[in-house]
Amino acid sequence: MKALFISYDQAHHEAVLAILNSCMQRGFTCWEQTQGRGSEKGEPHYGSHAWPGMNCSIMAMCEDSRIPSLLERLKKLDAERPMLGLRAFVLPVEQAI
């Protein structure tokens, strides 16, 4: 099992949910307002007067076999609108209850 952490511009929210749904990824936790700044380019998302954009973040516990398809679809979504920003990270899950 792997943990998939996705952080993305709020404009991507419905598309990210659709990707999770289409890959049969049912379980996840969503934080609807997260702040951040990309490591390479793009504008900060601070929810302030100067930087009004906001991010969303999702953590999903996934079967290993689902990860490649999820990452492929998320990468495609990011490529369609690269200035919005979308990042995904895969982490090992050692134990769960």
Side-chain angles (χ1 to χ4, degrees):
M1 181 172 286
K2 304 285 188 208
L4 176 63
F5 179 78
I6 315 163
S7 187
Y8 53 92
D9 186 286
Q10 62 188 3
H12 282 314
H13 188 65
E14 293 301 320
V16 170
L17 292 178
I19 289 169
L20 292 171
N21 212 22
S22 70
C23 290
M24 308 297 278
Q25 180 56 47
R26 182 172 162 80
F28 64 87
T29 298
C30 178
W31 297 270
E32 288 192 23
Q33 291 191 0
T34 56
Q35 299 178 9
R37 180 178 69 180
S39 57
E40 295 179 20
K41 54 187 173 183
E43 297 182 350
H45 293 77
Y46 295 150
S48 68
H49 295 299
W51 304 106
M54 287 298 286
N55 287 330
C56 296
S57 297
I58 286 180
M59 176 78 76
M61 299 303 133
C62 308
E63 294 300 325
D64 292 11
S65 61
R66 286 198 179 118
I67 294 294
S69 180
L70 285 162
L71 289 178
E72 178 184 328
R73 292 173 191 210
L74 292 167
K75 185 175 183 178
K76 182 180 176 190
L77 176 61
D78 183 44
E80 290 171 0
R81 297 176 72 190
M83 291 305 292
L84 287 181
L86 184 152
R87 294 291 179 263
F89 305 91
V90 178
L91 309 160
V93 175
E94 295 182 17
Q95 296 181 10
I97 58 167

